[in-house]
Amino acid sequence: MSDLILNVTFGVAAPARRVPAGNRKHRKFVRRRLLERKRALGQKQRQSAPQSGGDRARKRSCRVRKKKRPEAGGGKREEHEGKDPTGSSGGSEPSAHGTKGTQGAKKTTKGPVRAPGLPPAPSKFVAIDCEMVGTGPGGRVSDLARCSIVGYEGDVLYDRYVRPTEPIVDYRTRWSGIRKQHMANAVPFCKAQREILKILSGKVVIGHAIHNDFKALKYSHPKVLTRDTSKIPLLNRKGGFPENVSISLKRLAKEVLHKDIQVGKSGHSSVEDARTTMELYKVVEAEWEQHLMLNSEQECLPPQTNPDLTGVSEPGAHGKRNRMEQRQQVP
């Protein structure tokens, strides 16, 4: 038999190399993390290392939260936009550091803001005068035929002839100055009423015997916003008339303003009468407004009671019983 030579090596077989899972980018990331844990990665490489998906998401959410934070003016912009209180002065002016004011505030205001307790601004005052004609049986019903409104400085805000709803029986030309030709292009009463009330809304209205003008307009103005120069005692005092007597506009103008109005036979001018009424009011404006404010403050004060007579102010049976006890205690 031939010789058979066998070469046999004894040893442990090496385990198969495990292929890391994931793509190339993921393996690179895992390897870098492993080096970071072993502190084998330099400082520069650590700073330039790509951020993880979780870190990027966290920073993105922080940025989103910062955008939703309210501005320095307080409150969210969408809550304040278009809802500022009346009289606000708009956004605050930029400071030296360039900070912005509240962007939601309005930039314009409708009128001057007055502090509480002060009289109304001059722009809130108007004077009115109306001329009437006669309608109805015998022309005894007074209907509006002309209306004039002037501002604080006498500027004409409205001056129109008005066509009454009823046929005119008496033009009263001697006092009203109205003639038939004036009605050719006159404004219908309903339209004129809308235009006039729009001007008077929210204003302090001055007139002489103004209740007659409001009656012709078929309108009632708030009492606190009405000034009747025929019922201001200060004017009568300055003209030398009794305080509780209603004096005509013509006589007041003559004695207080030293001017003649309503002269001639062509009738009254409602513009001239309205301007004269405003001038008369301005003579006593400061004193009269102060007087009205003091009266309004006194009306707002609670009624004062005598502390020694507590039962007098109590209503019902308890008040009566206390009064009976007080009478019995009086010697």
Side-chain angles (χ1 to χ4, degrees):
M1 290 181 66
S2 61
D3 295 334
L4 181 64
I5 300 173
L6 297 175
N7 292 329
V8 180
T9 57
F10 296 92
V12 181
R17 187 175 181 180
R18 185 176 182 182
V19 180
N23 55 18
R24 180 181 178 184
K25 189 174 183 180
H26 178 69
R27 291 195 299 270
K28 187 176 180 181
F29 168 75
V30 173
R31 181 183 177 188
R32 189 176 293 275
R33 279 293 187 184
L34 182 61
L35 293 175
E36 283 179 355
R37 291 197 191 106
K38 293 182 179 182
R39 298 183 181 179
L41 196 62
Q43 184 68 21
K44 292 184 179 180
Q45 293 175 329
R46 201 176 302 168
Q47 291 179 356
S48 61
Q51 297 177 351
S52 64
D55 294 342
R56 286 196 299 271
R58 195 179 299 112
K59 288 195 175 184
R60 192 182 302 111
S61 63
C62 291
R63 288 197 296 270
V64 172
R65 290 194 200 102
K66 287 181 181 178
K67 289 181 180 179
K68 290 185 179 180
R69 286 179 184 173
E71 298 178 359
K76 293 183 179 180
R77 180 163 55 186
E78 58 268 21
E79 293 178 358
H80 288 279
E81 190 165 356
K83 296 184 180 180
D84 291 340
T86 307
S88 62
S89 59
S92 58
E93 296 182 359
S95 64
H97 299 288
T99 57
K100 295 182 179 180
T102 306
Q103 297 180 4
K106 295 180 180 178
K107 296 182 180 179
T108 58
T109 55
K110 293 185 178 180
V113 179
R114 304 287 288 181
L118 294 179
S123 59
K124 291 292 183 180
F125 287 91
V126 294
I128 188 173
D129 187 77
C130 298
E131 301 296 343
M132 276 73 80
V133 293
T135 61
R140 289 188 293 269
V141 180
S142 296
D143 276 351
L144 181 67
R146 184 184 179 185
C147 180
S148 300
I149 304 174
V150 301
Y152 189 78
E153 300 299 335
D155 49 311
V156 179
L157 304 178
Y158 188 88
D159 183 29
R160 304 289 295 273
Y161 289 101
V162 182
R163 185 185 304 112
T165 55
E166 299 295 330
I168 300 175
V169 177
D170 185 1
Y171 283 93
R172 304 177 185 177
T173 305
R174 181 180 174 183
W175 298 279
S176 67
I178 306 296
R179 290 174 173 79
K180 187 176 181 179
Q181 58 266 27
H182 293 147
M183 294 294 107
N185 298 320
V187 181
F189 174 79
C190 293
K191 181 180 179 181
Q193 186 188 46
R194 289 194 301 267
E195 295 171 349
I196 295 167
L197 299 190
K198 187 176 181 180
I199 297 174
L200 301 185
S201 178
K203 301 290 179 60
V204 178
V205 185
I206 305 165
H208 194 82
I210 197 170
H211 61 278
N212 294 323
D213 302 318
F214 289 154
K215 184 178 179 181
L217 285 168
K218 299 178 182 179
Y219 168 68
S220 179
H221 200 66
K223 186 177 180 181
V224 294
L225 298 178
T226 304
R227 307 288 186 268
D228 193 343
T229 52
S230 69
K231 296 180 179 180
I232 298 181
L234 289 172
L235 273 177
N236 290 15
R237 194 183 307 164
K238 287 184 178 294
F241 303 109
E243 294 184 0
N244 57 348
V245 178
S246 180
I247 309 298
S248 67
L249 181 64
K250 183 176 181 178
R251 294 180 65 190
L252 276 176
K254 180 67 175 178
E255 298 299 329
V256 178
L257 302 176
H258 307 290
K259 63 183 291 187
D260 295 322
I261 62 171
Q262 300 176 356
V263 294
K265 296 182 180 180
S266 58
H268 303 172
S269 169
S270 53
V271 173
E272 181 185 45
D273 290 353
R275 285 173 172 165
T276 303
T277 303
M278 180 64 80
E279 291 176 19
L280 285 171
Y281 171 77
K282 288 164 73 172
V283 171
V284 295
E285 177 184 3
E287 299 174 75
W288 187 242
E289 291 298 330
Q290 186 178 7
H291 171 75
L292 292 177
M293 283 192 295
L294 290 175
N295 285 351
S296 62
E297 289 175 0
Q298 290 177 0
E299 291 176 359
C300 294
L301 292 176
Q304 296 182 358
T305 58
N306 191 340
D308 297 332
L309 303 175
T310 55
V312 175
S313 61
E314 294 180 10
H318 297 289
K320 294 179 180 179
R321 183 174 59 191
N322 291 341
R323 287 195 292 271
M324 293 293 294
E325 292 175 357
Q326 290 166 5
R327 292 194 190 100
Q328 293 175 2
Q329 292 175 2
V330 176

